[in-house]
Amino acid sequence: MEGLLTRSLTEADRDLLAALASRVSPQSMISRFHGAAGSPTPSLLDRLLDLAPGQREALIALDDQVVVAVVRYARDTQEGDTAEVAALVADEWQHHGVGLELMRQLASRARAAGISRFRGDMLSDNAGAQRLMTALGQAVSSRRADGHTVMIIDLAPS
C-alpha cells in the first residue's frame, strides 16, 4: 500500500468510483456484483454512496487521485452485530495487499461501531474473496448454494 492514500468514500467521489468500475475487467465486476459487467448505473452509485457512520461505511485507496480499490460494509438491520461486506480492487492492484489492508481498516471502524462479524456473499469460484474473508477473522460459518458462498467471520481484534 506504499504510495497509496486511504480515506473514507464520500458523495464527491461519485465520478472516481464510476471510473474504477469502468476500468476493471468484466470478470472483476461479475465477481463483485454477481451479475452483468459494465458501467454502474446511477441508482447503483446512489446505493453505494448512501453512507452513514456506524451503519454503512466505505473506504477507498487512491493512487494519484485515481481510485484503485473500494471496500464497504452495511450493518444488517436484523442482526445488528453483523455487517455485509464487499470489495472491488482494480485488476492491476489485485494480489498486492490493497484489499486486505483496506478491509482491516474497515473492520477496525466496524468494531468501533459495535459490529463483531462480517458476512460476505460471493461467487463460489471467487477464491480471492474467500481468502480475504479468512484473513480478516475466524470463520463462524460458510455455506454454498446455487453457485454462491456465504461466509460469516468473527472480526479479529485489532
Side-chain angles (χ1 to χ4, degrees), residues 4-88:
L4 296 181
L5 169 70
T6 62
R7 64 170 173 80
S8 295
L9 180 70
T10 69
E11 175 64 38
D13 297 318
R14 176 180 290 271
D15 290 343
L16 295 175
L17 187 60
L20 169 64
S22 70
R23 284 193 332 274
V24 300
S25 67
Q27 184 56 49
S28 289
M29 284 296 284
I30 290 167
S31 291
R32 166 57 183 91
F33 295 104
H34 306 202
S39 297
T41 63
S43 64
L44 175 60
L45 287 170
D46 288 344
R47 197 178 64 200
L48 294 173
L49 290 163
D50 179 21
L51 304 169
Q55 299 299 313
R56 294 172 308 281
E57 296 192 49
L59 298 174
I60 56 175
L62 297 122
D63 180 29
D64 194 27
Q65 300 303 310
V66 174
V67 174
V68 298
V70 59
V71 296
R72 184 179 191 276
Y73 80 73
R75 187 186 292 264
D76 188 303
T77 57
Q78 304 298 312
E79 300 175 46
D81 68 337
T82 301
E84 182 81 24
V85 67
L88 180 63

Side-chain angles (χ1 to χ4, degrees), residues 35-158:
S39 297
T41 63
S43 64
L44 175 60
L45 287 170
D46 288 344
R47 197 178 64 200
L48 294 173
L49 290 163
D50 179 21
L51 304 169
Q55 299 299 313
R56 294 172 308 281
E57 296 192 49
L59 298 174
I60 56 175
L62 297 122
D63 180 29
D64 194 27
Q65 300 303 310
V66 174
V67 174
V68 298
V70 59
V71 296
R72 184 179 191 276
Y73 80 73
R75 187 186 292 264
D76 188 303
T77 57
Q78 304 298 312
E79 300 175 46
D81 68 337
T82 301
E84 182 81 24
V85 67
L88 180 63
V89 178
D91 293 35
E92 67 273 16
W93 285 93
Q94 292 176 14
H95 311 292
H96 294 283
V98 176
L100 179 58
E101 179 56 33
L102 274 182
M103 278 291 201
R104 285 180 174 149
Q105 292 178 31
L106 190 68
S108 179
R109 288 179 180 220
R111 280 191 300 276
I115 295 168
S116 60
R117 291 182 170 179
F118 273 171
R119 180 180 53 246
D121 181 351
M122 62 211 77
L123 297 177
S124 293
D125 65 354
N126 190 341
Q130 292 173 33
R131 282 192 305 272
L132 181 61
M133 290 291 286
T134 57
L136 286 174
Q138 179 66 40
V140 173
S141 71
S142 179
R143 62 182 156 75
R144 289 178 173 216
D146 301 321
H148 287 255
T149 297
V150 176
M151 292 180 72
I152 299 175
I153 61 161
D154 276 331
L155 296 178
S158 54

